[in-house]
Amino acid sequence: MSPKFREEDGHVFKIYSNEEERKHILVVKAGCEAKFWLEPKTELANSYGFSNRKLKKITQLVERYGDEFKQQFEAHIGKRVDD
């Protein structure tokens, strides 16, 4: 299952539930995809298809909604044993 946390300007922000325990968000639009770590700080993990200009805008959105994404991630995945 891949819940959608937000959609803005055609960008869909979601996670793949079975992918990783580390908090992250995926951003998808028109066949392009970027993955951002949300902890310990917001950081681009990888990107396919987005231009540097688009990535700059997406990074700003991820930073703006980062705390909300972390809460949504935790609510969906649940607390980890080592937390």
Side-chain angles (χ1 to χ4, degrees):
M1 183 174 177
S2 174
K4 179 169 63 170
F5 291 163
R6 173 176 284 282
E7 187 168 350
E8 188 165 320
D9 191 29
H11 297 91
V12 177
F13 297 81
K14 61 184 183 174
I15 64 165
Y16 296 134
S17 300
N18 61 351
E19 189 177 49
E20 309 227 11
E21 287 187 22
R22 184 175 172 190
K23 291 181 183 137
H24 64 280
I25 193 81
L26 295 161
V27 185
V28 179
K29 182 177 182 180
C32 301
E33 185 173 297
K35 178 178 180 177
F36 287 84
W37 298 120
L38 299 173
E39 60 181 22
K41 64 180 184 164
T42 301
E43 180 180 16
L44 178 65
N46 55 52
S47 173
Y48 304 97
F50 286 117
S51 68
N52 287 337
R53 183 176 175 201
K54 285 283 188 187
L55 281 173
K56 185 175 179 180
K57 179 180 179 177
I58 294 167
T59 300
Q60 291 172 342
L61 292 171
V62 171
E63 288 173 345
R64 180 183 310 153
Y65 299 115
D67 289 339
E68 182 180 330
F69 291 149
K70 288 177 194 176
Q71 291 171 354
Q72 291 171 315
F73 185 99
E74 215 167 270
H76 180 72
I77 300 297
K79 294 289 279 181
R80 296 184 298 248
V81 175
D82 60 345
D83 283 350

